[in-house]
Amino acid sequence: MSILAHTMMTAARSTDSGLAGPGELDRYPFGEPPVAERVGAPVWDSAEPELGRVGRRAAGSRGRGLHGQLVQQLGQMIVSGDLGADRPLVPEEIGQRFEVSRTVVRESLRVLEAKGLVSARPNVGTRVRPVSDWNLLDPDIIEWRAFGPQRDDQRRELNELRWTIEPLAARLAAGHGRADIQQRMSDMVEIMAHAMGQGDALTYSRADAEFHSLLIQVAGNRMLEHLSGIVSSALQVSGGPATGCDRPNDASLGHHGRIVDALAAGDATAAETAMRQLLIVHPEVERVVPAPREH
């Protein structure tokens, strides 16, 4: 096993999960006097248990501290429909529920506003915006949708986008001859093979995500690079219809290896074909690749 493989596997196993325990937000003292309970306040505890678990996981991986955790919690509640546009989001009520300062609440709402989830206007307050205004390519929103009531639609849409993006990226990458990146992609395949043999799902998934990120990078199209977060998010979202990346096996490894070989040979057609074969869903699950339209 290469030094790179050993380093990556060791890092994957030793990384702290960063998970916040139940009631993580509640262990921080509220920095301001509590606000009297309001009539008609949102039912903050109505979110699905699964959403709560995802929030704690996401807070450990992306959000840091109270601010990051509150963004995750509120974002999930908005995407799940627990917080709607029928009433404004009152900072004092949010602060009381989560026992955080008004500063933390304000900063969190600004982040959600940047994602298109809420809007703040004078004399109207902060309200949830319609789905058509959301930044659906934002990695956080992708994750929140994937673990909420819209999970099936989100996973289908992600797979359809991958079917559009990655075969093109593979074709473009074959003409760039970046030996350094191609070697690293080959290293990722080696890591995946070793991890699969060891039953190390975490290392396998990380190497797989790195493989696909490198592929889009070597395609040499900066606009495609901006869409790489979609692919990363799709690989991180488990469940739903599965592609060749979701179920590690010899066939999946073979397709990854053929992509690397095609890139090294400068064979754009072979690289694109291998990627399409990798993305085809398994026969035992619902097909998500769009069928050609009849004319």
Side-chain angles (χ1 to χ4, degrees), residues 1 9 20 49 65 82 89 117 124 148 159 215:
M1 180 173 59
M9 293 184 70
D82 289 324
L89 302 179
L117 292 177
V124 175
N159 279 315
L215 175 67

Side-chain angles (χ1 to χ4, degrees), residues 165-202:
I165 294 170
E166 293 196 83
L168 173 60
R171 171 173 282 277
L172 294 175
H176 283 270
R178 288 288 303 274
D180 56 336
I181 296 182
Q182 291 173 13
Q183 179 57 53
R184 185 162 178 82
M185 291 176 68
S186 181
D187 290 340
M188 292 303 108
V189 176
E190 178 186 349
I191 293 171
M192 290 162 65
H194 189 273
M196 188 174 73
Q198 298 294 315
D200 186 350
L202 177 59

Side-chain angles (χ1 to χ4, degrees), residues 25-39:
L25 287 169
D26 295 335
R27 55 189 192 85
Y28 294 90
F30 186 42
E32 302 177 27
V35 179
E37 186 173 346
R38 298 171 181 264
V39 177

